[in-house]
Amino acid sequence: IIACAAKADLACVQVFFIRNGQNLGNRQFFPKIVDENDPGPILQAFISQYYLDKTVPHELIISHPLPETALLTEVLAGQAKHNVAISHNVRGERQKWLQMAVTNADSALLAKLADKQGLYARFLSLQQEFHCAEVPKRLECFDISHTQGEQTVASCVVFDREGPVKSDYRRFNIEGVTGGDDYAAIHQAVFRRFKRQKQGEHPAPDILLIDGGKGQVSAAQKALAELEINNVMIVGVSKGPDRKAGMEKIILPNQDQPLDVSPGASALLLIQHIRDEAHRFAITGHRQRRGKAKQQSALE
């Protein structure tokens, strides 16, 4: 059973698996759509892709009629080597299952829309707190992880107004710097990242967040200056003396005092989120590198 809900250029597809009259569970998907809020075409595109590498059931019950039901039925039957039925007008037990899938799709879509609106509000707050001319579109955050200076790994995570952009995440194995020198590690990671950006591999962020204080911010500033990049705002996120969440200090280049952020500003929640994600991504990469190093001999 496949149900779709679409609103405001966002869609949710719920897939329920029914075998021998038993509900075996469900999965939800949020396919990317462009200027399309009609559930029918969205369902058709989703089904044709979803069953490319999956077993096709004998019957599909869908929430909305498709533009080309006969064609899709023929394609799926040819792939499955058995007859396939696609229907949306059902009764009895099937109608109850379909209604459950539709309700789930509607609820998940509303929750996703609320998250999206909340995230955009945090970007608006970030614009106000940092006095940006426009609402930022893209944020990048760097963090460093190592064990007593060994197997140093730098992480770069990316957020846009939709949330994390995991396809643009990157890790950098830091080489050729003194163990434990976080300043040099940040400089190397930022330089390598933005050298690729100048070559057109990815768009430049509006704000570059650095997990650290003045030293790390200066190192990042130096790396961008060497690449002659001057259109990126650099912001340091220092954990403060007590290292408690919510007590972070916002460090700007060439300023002696931290930025005075409004208490309770939702921009801080966004900064904490991206900083924590960069920290998680760096630690994961460091542990993987450390694990490989433990399996090698110094003689090798």
Side-chain angles (χ1 to χ4, degrees):
I1 300 178
I2 305 179
C4 177
K7 186 177 182 181
D9 294 330
L10 192 66
C12 176
V13 176
Q14 288 277 344
V15 182
F16 276 71
F17 309 97
I18 310 296
R19 297 289 183 272
N20 298 321
Q22 298 294 319
N23 183 355
L24 302 184
N26 67 296
R27 293 189 62 189
Q28 65 183 25
F29 302 86
F30 294 94
K32 290 187 177 181
I33 58 175
V34 179
D35 299 328
E36 179 62 79
N37 286 319
D38 186 352
I42 295 171
L43 272 177
Q44 180 164 296
F46 174 84
I47 292 170
S48 62
Q49 294 179 54
Y50 182 72
Y51 286 108
L52 280 175
D53 57 350
K54 294 178 177 64
T55 301
V56 182
H58 287 269
E59 183 179 11
L60 289 176
I61 300 173
I62 56 177
S63 59
H64 298 80
L66 306 180
E68 298 177 309
T69 303
L71 177 60
L72 184 58
T73 301
E74 181 181 347
V75 171
L76 292 177
Q79 177 184 331
K81 303 296 190 293
H82 60 67
N83 291 332
V84 175
I86 300 179
S87 55
H88 69 278
N89 284 326
V90 290
R91 298 179 179 179
E93 195 71 19
R94 282 174 165 75
Q95 175 62 32
K96 292 179 182 178
W97 288 335
L98 180 58
Q99 188 56 52
M100 179 172 58
V102 169
T103 300
N104 276 32
D106 288 336
S107 298
L109 181 64
L110 290 175
K112 189 77 171 179
L113 284 169
D115 288 343
K116 188 176 180 181
Q117 292 168 351
L119 186 61
Y120 186 72
R122 293 179 182 184
F123 271 81
L124 281 174
S125 175
L126 197 68
Q127 177 196 20
Q128 296 170 358
E129 297 298 332
F130 290 173
H131 307 293
C132 302
E134 298 179 351
V135 180
K137 296 179 181 178
R138 182 182 174 99
L139 313 176
E140 294 190 6
C141 183
F142 282 77
D143 190 21
I144 302 294
S145 181
H146 56 77
T147 300
Q148 296 180 341
E150 296 185 352
Q151 285 84 47
T152 302
V153 172
S155 70
C156 172
V157 302
V158 181
F159 275 43
D160 63 12
R161 295 175 188 171
E162 302 290 327
V165 187
K166 295 194 175 183
S167 60
D168 286 357
Y169 283 20
R170 294 294 183 272
R171 290 193 186 102
F172 302 91
N173 290 333
I174 304 301
E175 306 286 357
V177 304
T178 304
D181 187 350
D182 287 358
Y183 302 158
I186 282 288
H187 177 276
Q188 183 180 132
V190 171
F191 187 91
R192 288 165 61 183
R193 171 69 168 177
F194 280 85
K195 184 178 180 181
R196 295 176 183 177
Q197 182 267 316
K198 286 197 72 174
Q199 295 169 352
E201 288 193 19
H202 55 85
D206 300 298
I207 299 176
L208 173 61
L209 296 161
I210 304 294
D211 186 17
K214 291 182 179 179
Q216 285 88 344
V217 169
S218 296
Q221 189 179 24
K222 180 181 177 183
L224 294 189
E226 291 172 2
L227 292 168
E228 298 180 346
I229 296 175
N230 54 16
N231 61 341
V232 177
M233 182 179 187
I234 303 175
V235 176
V237 185
S238 174
K239 295 181 179 66
D242 297 328
R243 305 181 70 84
K244 291 182 179 178
M247 301 299 292
E248 290 84 358
K249 295 185 180 297
I250 306 303
I251 311 297
L252 299 180
N254 307 320
Q255 291 193 14
D256 294 331
Q257 297 298 323
L259 182 68
D260 187 16
V261 179
S262 304
S266 60
L268 277 178
L269 296 176
L270 177 59
I271 291 170
Q272 290 166 15
H273 188 180
I274 189 171
R275 191 273 316 278
D276 291 345
E277 178 69 354
H279 188 58
R280 178 200 65 79
F281 196 56
I283 286 179
T284 303
H286 165 66
R287 286 174 178 165
Q288 291 173 353
R289 190 180 184 194
R290 187 178 62 190
K292 290 179 182 178
K294 284 183 177 180
Q295 296 174 5
Q296 295 175 343
S297 163
L299 296 177
E300 292 177 318

